[in-house]
């Protein structure tokens, strides 16, 4: 006796149809991945060289929109903010620091 299971169900759940992307969509995805990898590589090199600027901060924002689960980029953003390079008082002497020194 051979029992066959329905091909459309697994663990009591109906399996959704998988839609294959068109060649144009697939090429667009590949281009996005190439662009993101180049951006990630550039950011990692900038971090290694300790480059902290508004431009690098903006680049991390763009990269994290593509892949938010990239802890190294979050760490780099923190380093940029703490360096004070943005001028917004990230790491150095703002008004709020006086409250802690009192």
């Amino acid at each position: 006796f051979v029992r066959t299971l329905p091909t459309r169900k697994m663990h009591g759940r109906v399996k959704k149809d998988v839609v294959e992307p068109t060649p144009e969509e697939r090429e667009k995805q590949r281009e996005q991945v190439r662009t993101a990898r180049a951006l990630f590589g550039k950011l990692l090199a900038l971090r290694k060289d300790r480059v902290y600027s508004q431009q690098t901060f903006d680049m991390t924002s763009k990269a994290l929109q593509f892949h938010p689960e990239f802890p190294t980029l979050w760490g780099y953003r923190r380093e940029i903010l703490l360096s004070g390079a943005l001028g917004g008082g990230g790491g150095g002497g703002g008004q709020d620091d006086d409250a802690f020194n009192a």
Side-chain angles (χ1 to χ4, degrees):
F1 176 75
V2 176
R3 183 175 173 201
T4 59
L5 297 174
T7 58
R8 308 262 317 142
K9 282 191 169 190
M10 182 174 271
H11 305 288
R13 303 278 182 175
V14 176
K15 199 172 181 181
K16 293 183 181 180
D17 290 332
V18 177
V19 179
E20 280 294 316
T22 64
E24 293 84 18
E25 291 172 331
R26 192 171 289 221
E27 185 55 38
K28 182 179 176 183
Q29 289 173 346
R30 284 188 184 122
E31 184 60 35
Q32 287 176 339
V33 169
R34 280 191 288 267
T35 302
R37 288 186 73 175
L39 180 59
F40 295 154
K42 185 171 186 165
L43 283 168
L44 293 174
L46 289 169
R47 182 181 190 205
K48 183 178 178 184
D49 294 339
R50 297 178 188 261
V51 176
Y52 305 128
S53 67
Q54 181 67 49
Q55 183 182 10
T56 55
F57 187 78
D58 294 341
M59 289 169 65
T60 61
S61 297
K62 185 175 181 180
L64 287 167
Q65 286 176 350
F66 182 79
H67 183 41
E69 298 295 324
F70 200 143
T72 305
L73 291 183
W74 287 107
Y76 186 31
R77 283 175 67 87
R78 183 179 63 244
E79 291 170 16
I80 294 168
L81 289 170
L82 292 175
S83 75
L86 301 183
Q95 276 185 337
D96 295 336
D97 290 344
D98 293 337
F100 293 109
N101 295 330

